[in-house]
Each structure stands twice: as structure tokens, then as C-alpha cells.
Amino acid sequence: MNPISKIPSSEITPEETFLNRRFFMKTAIWAGSAVATGGMYRAFSPRSDVKSTGSEIATVVDSTFQSSLGADEKVNSFGEIAGYNNYYEFSTDKSAVAAKAKDFVTDPWSVEVGGLVGKPRVFGLEDLLKMESEERVYRFRCVEGWSMVIPWVGFPLAKLLSLVEPRSEATHVAFETYYDLKQMPDAGSAGIDLPYVEGLRMDEAMHPLTLLATGLYGKTLPNQNGAPIRLVVPWKYGFKSIKSVVKITLTNREPPTTWSLANPGEYGFYSNVNPKVDHPRWSQAKERRIGEAGSRETLMFNGYEAQVAHLYAGMNFEEDF
Amino acid sequence: MAVTLSQDGRFHRQLIFINGLLPMVLMGFDAWRGKLGVNPAEFVTRATGVMTLVFLVLTLLVTPLRKLLGWNWLLKQRRLLGLFAFFYCCGHLLTYLAFDRDWQLGTVFEDVVKRRFIAVGMFSFALMVPLAVTSTNAMIKKLGGARWAQLHRLTYYITIGGVLHYYMIVKSDATYPLWFAAVVVVLLGYRVVVSLRKARERVAVGVER
């Protein structure tokens, strides 16, 4: 005998109820799955616009700096510059850094400048913001193949270094980023050794294009862009422009740099923008300018060849990349 | 008489079809309202690549779920999951041709030779093509079930290649590719264990005789 026919007829669900229940279940599954799928997509898609929280920088004077931008090069918007950041201490997702760095404390702040100098000194944030600064509109070229045009506010690094009186035996300058696992949620899993360190040769550090930036679009730097003070070296790949600097040390040897420590075959000490020397995993001949549809040719030394090429006369760029 | 929900193949198909298309539709909607982020090219490239891996993993999930939970109804839907993997992979390839190669198709070959992670990705894509082509009922009949199944085991290598391709492009934080790798190790490890156990049983039977 078939076991199903043993069920008393009173316990059999009427077909109408069964179908109603079926309709309800299907609707619930439809809704649930669509919300889950859509939610997952949303969770991994870029965040919405960022807002400016900076305050005006009072000490900005008119700049005598001649921007070398082409007529077709537009300055990127604040949202683009402050919404797409490589700052691995906070997140390796460029569109997530702004939100994760929101509460980063950048005041009080001090920068310790020492090493081979006559007058080592600790600069407080207020000293740095008091320095006479100017707007510099620079191209910014990331090693990943994207670029922007950014209106920085800052002063030449040479100006700060002259205050500490570099000794003649100093050949290089080492920089270090603030590091704090409590404030920097991704600092333990970024996949690179931290604190982040960078370095320049003395002549690069003293070059008038090399900037210590304290602002962006006339206001103090957003946290995600390296507040309260960062280096900007426009003819080098972006990772050389170290953020949130706490320490500047003059030395007599080439200092270690974070990315060349992480992967010496891919990132060198110099890392000058050079369309002819490719990164092993991507070409450097072209770049995607943020906000533009197509790609553009990458310029030698990021377009600052006339100003900086003499620093590297006779250098083999395939070896010293 | 209505079928039970777990037997309702049409419902399963519709469910997978709509949910599979949904990310693409949302991406299109975001593109239309200019909300693909600061670098849309990068986002769309990454999103289509990750979707390819997600669907590859889902196809590999079918067999363990059938065997362990008895969800045999999943088998009928595996082809659709695989075709979605191919669909997103084609999208991923298009983003590469458009954004990375600027439609200079002549440069693709030299790029494959030059960059290992591109070679690994291309290899996996090339393996997907015969699987997509033989996904029709007519082709299953033509090849015969056993040979068809054998051919479609290429999915294992495609998935390994896809995850490796993802791992190779990451600059330092390999969290996501490693998550995919862990899932794939479990799913392929399951198959290894099952086949080893079967082999042992065969031997045991042989000994008894």
C-alpha cells in the first residue's frame, strides 16, 4: 500500500492554501535573493562623494610658479582627488580610504627633522602651517597607470631643510609616515612593512619642484590625502610622495623605501615617471587620466623633463628605475 | 498538481538568471547615472573579473551540495551558472581590450607574451570557450555524456587559472584572491578525497575477492 494514502484527508493541505503558501514562499525567495545579490554588489561598489572638511590656509601667497600643464589638461575635482586614494594603512580599496580615515587625528602633530643637520628641530603643526605657502598645480602619476592634476598648497621642502642647516656630508633624505595600529585599521594587513618609509637624494630633495604639501584646493589636506603634511615629488610615481610625515632624517646613504623593500624587482629607489621603462605587470607608456574617457601618452618625468632631467644625466634608467 | 519548490526547475532557472544578471544591470544603472566611482574603467574591470570567479566557484559548488545535502535539483542549473561565468569573463576581456589595450588588438599577442598574469588569464578564457560552445543539449548528445563530462572537468583548471590571475595582479593585499583560493582548495579537495576513497573501495573489493 502506498504510504501517502494513509494520511487522513483532514491533514491534507487544500490545494488553494498550498498554492498561496507557494506564492508567498516564491515571492520571499525572489525578494531575499535580489536584496542579497544587490547588497553584495553595493558593498563592493565605489562609495559616494566625499565632502571637504578642511579649513582655509591663511598663509597662501601668489605663486610665481609656472604651471607646465597643456591646454587640454584640466584640474581634477575635489571629489576625484579626495575619493580615490592609495593609503594602505587605512584600506587597500582606494574608494574606501576616505571613510576609514575620517577620524584620524592630525592635530596635534609634529615633524621631527634630524640626522646630519646643524640644527635638529621638531616642528609643530602650527609652525608648518605658518610657513609661507603657495598653490602648485601638478600632474600626479600613479605607478598603477592612472593620473590626476592636483592643486596642492604647500612650500618647497628645501625651505624646511634650510632651517635645520644640512651638513655637507648629507647625501640623502629619509621620510617616515605616522604609524599607529589603533588609528589605522588596515595597518596590520596591508601586505607591506609599515611604517611607510621613503627617500630622496639630496639634490632631489632640494629641487624647487619638491613640495611639502599642507593643503588641497586652498584648504588643509583631507586625512585620506596625507594630512596634515605630505611630500609631493611630481616627476616621480605617486608612491614616492609619502603621506602624513612625522620624521625627516638626513643621512649619508640611500635610505630604504617601502615599495622597493616589498618588491625590489618592481619598484626602485628612483621611480621617476618614465614611459619607456615598463613595470613588469603593466605598461607605463600610457596613463588613464581620471575623468577622461580615453588614455593619454605618459610624459618623460611626468612632463617635468626640462626642470629635472639634469639631475639624472648619464643614468641608465633600465637599471636605476 | 503543482510540483514542490525543490523540483520547480523553471523557478530555479529564473531565479539564477535574474540574480546573475542583476550585478550587470546595477552596473549599467550606475554607469548611466555616473556613479561608477572615480576610476570607472578600473571598477568595471575588477567587478567583471570577480563575477567570473564567483560563478566559477558556484559551478564547482554544485557537486558537493548534491552529494552532501542531496540537492540534486542543482545539477540542472549548473550549465546556466557556467554560462554566466563565461558571460562575465567575456565582459572582463572586453574591458581589457577597451581600457588596457585601447582597442589596439594587434598588441594583445605581445602583451600575453610579456605579462604573465595576462597569459594566465587568457589561458583560462581560452579553456572556457570550448565549454561554452558545447553547452547545448545537441552537443551533449553528440559528444556522449561521459566525454562531455570529461571535457567539462576543464572547469577545475579554468578556476585555478582565474584565481591565480587575480592573485598575480594584486599589489600587496592579497586578502580577496586568497579567500577565493581557500574556497577552491576546499571544493577541489572534496573531489580528490571522494575519488581517493572510491579508489580505495575498489581495491578493498578486489582484495576480498
Side-chain angles (χ1 to χ4, degrees):
Chain A
M1 199 189 194
N2 190 330
I4 286 176
S5 54
K6 278 187 190 157
I7 298 170
S9 63
S10 62
E11 283 186 17
I12 296 176
T13 314
E15 185 165 6
E16 202 182 324
T17 315
F18 174 83
L19 288 178
N20 270 340
R21 200 183 289 162
R22 171 59 42 83
F23 175 77
F24 176 76
M25 275 176 74
K26 275 190 176 180
T27 309
I29 292 173
W30 270 118
S33 69
V35 166
T37 309
M40 222 124 66
Y41 169 80
R42 269 288 153 257
F44 287 99
S45 63
R47 314 299 147 100
S48 51
D49 301 337
V50 289
K51 289 186 179 57
S52 174
T53 51
S55 47
E56 299 286 337
I57 299 176
T59 53
V60 183
V61 297
D62 283 339
S63 176
T64 53
F65 167 73
Q66 288 290 309
S67 164
S68 63
L69 295 182
D72 64 332
E73 292 184 276
K74 275 197 302 223
V75 179
N76 282 92
S77 71
F78 178 85
E80 288 168 334
I81 298 167
Y84 194 69
N85 312 91
N86 271 321
Y87 202 158
Y88 279 22
E89 287 88 335
F90 292 100
S91 171
T92 52
D93 174 358
K94 288 186 272 292
S95 67
V97 174
K100 292 210 173 152
K102 187 167 54 77
D103 299 322
F104 182 43
V105 178
T106 60
D107 188 6
W109 192 272
S110 58
V111 182
E112 187 188 333
V113 188
L116 301 174
V117 298
K119 289 183 175 167
R121 185 174 156 186
V122 176
F123 292 86
L125 181 58
E126 51 296 345
D127 307 325
L128 299 166
L129 289 177
K130 253 185 255 159
M131 304 273 278
E132 191 181 271
S133 51
E134 56 183 287
E135 179 163 89
R136 296 274 184 101
V137 181
Y138 283 161
R139 289 183 205 88
F140 184 94
R141 169 64 156 80
C142 179
V143 73
E144 295 165 1
W146 54 268
S147 65
M148 297 195 198
V149 176
I150 304 180
W152 300 110
V153 173
F155 51 88
L157 172 64
K159 216 155 119 183
L160 184 90
L161 293 182
S162 69
L163 294 176
V164 295
E165 295 174 8
R167 301 222 302 257
S168 58
E169 62 268 37
T171 58
H172 290 82
V173 185
F175 303 86
E176 190 177 310
T177 295
Y178 181 83
Y179 178 67
D180 178 3
L181 275 169
K182 273 185 256 129
Q183 283 206 70
M184 298 170 146
D186 200 40
S189 60
I192 47 175
D193 275 339
L194 296 172
Y196 197 93
V197 289
E198 257 306 334
L200 292 174
R201 221 166 55 186
M202 200 64 198
D203 56 347
E204 297 175 324
M206 296 303 286
H207 194 281
L209 282 178
T210 304
L211 203 68
L212 277 176
T214 53
L216 183 66
Y217 269 112
K219 292 185 173 177
T220 51
L221 280 175
N223 290 345
Q224 62 270 29
N225 291 86
I229 187 161
R230 68 171 292 169
L231 186 69
V232 178
V233 194
W235 71 91
K236 291 175 181 284
Y237 293 118
F239 65 86
K240 293 291 293 181
S241 294
I242 183 169
K243 296 184 174 84
S244 307
V245 174
V246 288
K247 207 168 171 186
I248 300 177
T249 311
L250 283 78
T251 78
N252 57 4
R253 64 178 79 92
E254 187 179 288
T257 59
T258 294
W259 278 103
S260 58
L261 287 175
N263 200 336
E266 297 194 355
Y267 310 97
F269 174 77
Y270 287 97
S271 293
N272 293 317
V273 175
N274 187 339
K276 286 180 223 101
V277 177
D278 285 343
H279 182 278
R281 287 180 284 167
W282 46 83
S283 163
Q284 297 294 28
K286 289 182 178 179
E287 64 199 54
R288 180 157 303 280
R289 180 63 54 84
I290 296 301
E292 293 181 0
S295 58
R296 35 169 90 227
E297 304 284 330
T298 289
L299 304 171
M300 188 64 198
F301 294 114
N302 206 21
Y304 301 98
E305 189 172 12
Q307 293 96 318
V308 302
H310 68 275
L311 299 176
Y312 310 104
M315 185 183 268
N316 179 344
F317 295 120
E318 298 277 346
E319 278 168 27
D320 287 316
F321 54 87
Chain B
M1 183 65 198
V3 291
T4 65
L5 210 52
S6 67
Q7 289 166 347
D8 192 347
R10 231 185 94 212
F11 173 62
H12 301 153
R13 200 159 50 245
Q14 290 170 345
L15 200 61
I16 293 173
F17 190 76
I18 296 300
N19 277 290
L21 273 185
L22 193 58
M24 195 70 183
V25 170
L26 288 173
M27 228 186 297
F29 176 60
D30 280 351
W32 171 72
R33 57 185 195 135
K35 291 276 182 191
L36 283 178
V38 172
N39 192 347
E42 189 203 23
F43 172 68
V44 174
T45 302
R46 189 154 29 92
T48 49
V50 168
M51 289 305 294
T52 306
L53 288 180
V54 166
F55 276 101
L56 282 170
V57 164
L58 288 177
T59 61
L60 291 182
L61 205 68
V62 169
T63 295
L65 288 182
R66 276 180 63 209
K67 297 270 169 70
L68 298 175
L69 301 176
W71 293 3
N72 287 312
W73 53 270
L74 268 174
L75 184 60
K76 269 193 186 159
Q77 309 305 332
R78 188 166 61 183
R79 177 163 43 178
L80 185 55
L81 294 171
L83 285 171
F84 262 119
F86 185 65
F87 170 72
Y88 279 105
C89 195
C90 288
H92 188 56
L93 185 68
L94 282 179
T95 62
Y96 163 74
L97 296 177
F99 304 134
D100 196 277
R101 295 290 101 197
D102 280 322
W103 294 115
Q104 311 268 296
L105 302 187
T107 64
V108 171
F109 182 74
E110 61 178 274
D111 196 41
V112 168
V113 174
K114 193 171 165 189
R115 299 196 286 172
R116 266 181 299 175
F117 87 95
I118 295 286
V120 172
M122 281 294 182
F123 179 72
S124 290
F125 175 74
L127 290 185
M128 275 176 118
V129 175
L131 305 201
V133 170
T134 58
S135 67
T136 61
N137 285 334
M139 283 304 276
I140 298 175
K141 218 171 258 173
K142 205 168 157 191
L143 283 171
R147 263 168 66 203
W148 185 89
Q150 204 173 13
L151 175 68
H152 281 249
R153 268 180 216 128
L154 283 178
T155 307
Y156 305 157
Y157 303 99
I158 294 167
T159 311
I160 292 170
V163 173
L164 189 63
H165 167 73
Y166 189 12
Y167 180 78
M168 286 168 85
I169 188 57
V170 166
K171 260 166 70 190
S172 76
D173 179 2
T175 311
Y176 290 134
L178 288 179
W179 269 111
F180 273 110
V183 171
V184 170
V185 163
V186 169
L187 293 177
L188 294 184
Y190 167 81
R191 288 163 169 85
V192 172
V193 169
V194 166
S195 73
L196 282 180
R197 198 175 289 163
K198 263 188 197 156
R200 204 179 305 145
E201 274 163 21
R202 261 195 306 264
V203 171
V205 170
V207 167
E208 270 169 38
R209 240 192 271 161

